[in-house]
Amino acid sequence: MGKKMKNAPVYFTIAQVRHNPILSLSTYVASIQDRMRKAGYPDHRPGRTLIVNLVAGPVAAEPDVEQAIPHAVERHMFLNMQGTQGFIVEQGALSFQTTEYDTFQTFSEQFFEGLAIVHECISLGYSERVGIRYLDAVVPKNDADDLRDYLAPGVLGLAGRLPDGVAIGLSLSETHIPLPDANLLSRTIVRSGPLGFPMDLEPQGLRVPERFEKVNGPHAIIDTDASQVGRQPFDMEQLRVRLDMLHTRIRMAFDASVSEHALKVWQ
């Protein structure tokens, strides 16, 4: 699991820790930015993002109807010079995203380097949720291959049972696996055309490697998301253990979604 594949299908990965809210985040930004710059993330992009909260309607109107109340929250991105990885620092969360994935060990070390910077500057009190999400692009290597050679029959949907030559516009397989120590969600999207991203996930400020930008034809996206929710005192070592566990669960779902042929092609 620690060995990098030569033709790895991973084209986007993001890890996140949600923590106690820091409403005075702006007062810490200069210190965080200086340390992020020295750590290899000199591109600072401040901004705000909209969060939508659902609240009950006023008594005089319709008290049982929930209303969407948007409000803006502070957000800062710190990216590397190449625009392939970086951190998103928000009032209640830290995320690390990359489009140049190496191995989980490298990814984890980079994530915790940034988390340590924020913790040293702010002194976080507790963590509330830990999550990690992978997007893998399954693209047939040549004309002799077919998606059925790469994916398990259970995630192909009708794409694995229709006659040859019948094109699929879109097929979605989704499996929710409630584990004792994590929530695991695995989706497989089969489609034809350019490689894209799920509607709820966009690479914030990052560029996608050329080999994935060139994809334009039959392919599948394996979207695997694992998380653990529970408020705990902020502890870096415990967070490492939890992230390692989530990665193991994701690998379990990934291995169940692909074939031995696919693994050999990617090695």
Side-chain angles (χ1 to χ4, degrees), residues 121-185:
C121 294
I122 297 178
S123 296
L124 299 171
Y126 61 79
S127 61
E128 203 158 47
R129 180 185 182 274
V130 185
I132 185 170
R133 186 170 176 181
Y134 283 78
L135 297 182
D136 293 273
V138 181
V139 184
K141 185 178 181 181
N142 50 53
D143 292 339
D145 281 354
D146 186 272
L147 281 175
R148 286 174 288 191
D149 300 320
Y150 289 76
L151 296 173
V155 301
L156 276 167
L158 290 182
R161 300 182 61 84
L162 293 174
D164 292 339
V166 177
I168 288 289
L170 177 70
S171 177
L172 172 64
S173 168
E174 181 172 299
T175 303
H176 177 227
I177 309 169
L179 300 169
D181 53 3
N183 289 314
L184 181 60
L185 182 63

Side-chain angles (χ1 to χ4, degrees), residues 201-221:
L201 188 64
E202 283 291 336
Q204 303 276 341
L206 300 188
R207 65 173 183 83
V208 177
E210 184 180 0
R211 69 187 181 101
F212 292 116
E213 285 187 333
K214 290 182 176 180
V215 174
N216 192 356
H219 66 273
I221 299 170

Side-chain angles (χ1 to χ4, degrees), residues 3 11 22 54 64 82 104 106 157 168 179 225 240 267:
K3 184 179 179 181
Y11 70 100
I22 309 298
L54 294 178
D64 295 330
Q82 297 80 15
F104 174 72
T106 301
I168 288 289
L179 300 169
D225 187 350
R240 288 181 188 273
Q267 289 294 343

Side-chain angles (χ1 to χ4, degrees), residues 10-196:
V10 183
Y11 70 100
F12 183 74
T13 312
I14 185 168
Q16 183 187 75
V17 169
R18 292 183 186 170
H19 52 71
N20 55 293
I22 309 298
L23 301 184
S24 59
L25 178 61
S26 58
T27 63
Y28 299 98
V29 170
S31 178
I32 294 172
Q33 188 275 334
D34 188 53
R35 298 189 185 199
M36 286 288 187
R37 174 183 60 82
K38 293 175 181 177
Y41 304 93
D43 188 359
H44 174 218
R45 303 185 185 182
R48 302 181 75 82
T49 185
L50 284 179
I51 301 295
V52 177
N53 292 330
L54 294 178
V55 298
V59 176
E62 300 181 45
D64 295 330
V65 176
E66 290 188 327
Q67 297 179 343
I69 307 297
H71 68 280
V73 297
E74 190 175 354
R75 182 188 68 184
H76 296 267
M77 291 194 296
F78 302 93
L79 308 180
N80 65 355
M81 186 176 64
Q82 297 80 15
T84 58
Q85 62 187 32
F87 293 90
I88 304 172
V89 179
E90 299 173 286
Q91 292 176 336
L94 173 78
S95 306
F96 178 64
Q97 55 176 1
T98 182
T99 55
E100 285 285 2
Y101 186 83
D102 185 70
T103 64
F104 174 72
Q105 181 178 354
T106 301
F107 177 82
S108 178
E109 290 173 354
Q110 293 168 329
F111 172 65
F112 282 103
E113 180 183 23
L115 185 60
I117 288 173
V118 173
H119 182 45
E120 288 166 5
C121 294
I122 297 178
S123 296
L124 299 171
Y126 61 79
S127 61
E128 203 158 47
R129 180 185 182 274
V130 185
I132 185 170
R133 186 170 176 181
Y134 283 78
L135 297 182
D136 293 273
V138 181
V139 184
K141 185 178 181 181
N142 50 53
D143 292 339
D145 281 354
D146 186 272
L147 281 175
R148 286 174 288 191
D149 300 320
Y150 289 76
L151 296 173
V155 301
L156 276 167
L158 290 182
R161 300 182 61 84
L162 293 174
D164 292 339
V166 177
I168 288 289
L170 177 70
S171 177
L172 172 64
S173 168
E174 181 172 299
T175 303
H176 177 227
I177 309 169
L179 300 169
D181 53 3
N183 289 314
L184 181 60
L185 182 63
S186 179
R187 304 181 186 90
T188 302
I189 305 163
V190 179
R191 63 188 301 271
S192 186
L195 179 66

